[in-house]
Amino acid sequence: MRRSLEVLGASDGDQAPPPQALRAADTTLIIVDEGDGSASSQLVSCMEEAGATQLGAEPEAKANPGAIRIVIRARGSTIEARKRSALLEAAADVVLGSARPAFARRLVEVLLGER
């Protein structure tokens, strides 16, 4: 019986999409998706509906030390992907198991002062 062997140290194929930056009032929100990017797209669209504005790829927005960093967890298929996920989650302010529209709307409402 022949089986293909996994090549260790090769590219893991779990390349996460780039982070997305938004602004709600004076607060920058950085959304990092460890998966394919669909969860972050859903979360970002909910935040935009609630009043946040997307910043695009502005480097100073992503380097903002006062930013709220939100990571959406996904299971990596390789050891390298799981290590990268652990590092991202350690630096995060919030770790979500999936896109949470209610959380996104409520966070933006609180930041904009619409209690």
Side-chain angles (χ1 to χ4, degrees):
M1 198 160 85
R2 293 186 181 194
R3 291 182 287 171
S4 60
L5 296 174
E6 180 181 347
V7 178
L8 296 177
S11 174
D12 56 31
D14 289 333
Q15 297 302 320
Q20 297 190 45
L22 295 103
R23 182 170 305 280
D26 294 333
T27 304
T28 302
L29 303 166
I30 307 295
I31 313 298
V32 179
D33 190 342
E34 294 177 359
D36 62 0
S38 59
S40 64
S41 295
Q42 182 182 1
L43 198 68
V44 166
S45 68
C46 290
M47 288 181 167
E48 287 177 328
E49 288 174 10
T53 55
Q54 195 158 9
L55 297 176
E58 298 176 26
E60 65 273 2
K62 292 184 173 93
N64 185 343
I68 297 174
R69 298 180 196 300
I70 301 171
V71 172
I72 303 172
R73 180 179 282 162
R75 174 147 166 68
S77 60
T78 64
I79 293 172
E80 290 84 9
R82 289 191 285 272
K83 286 180 183 178
R84 184 175 55 240
S85 294
L87 291 173
L88 287 171
E89 292 174 16
D93 297 306
V94 178
V95 178
L96 300 175
S98 64
R100 304 284 185 194
F103 167 78
R105 283 191 292 275
R106 186 66 184 137
L107 175 63
V108 172
E109 288 170 358
V110 168
L111 292 173
L112 293 175
E114 301 171 7
R115 298 176 190 216

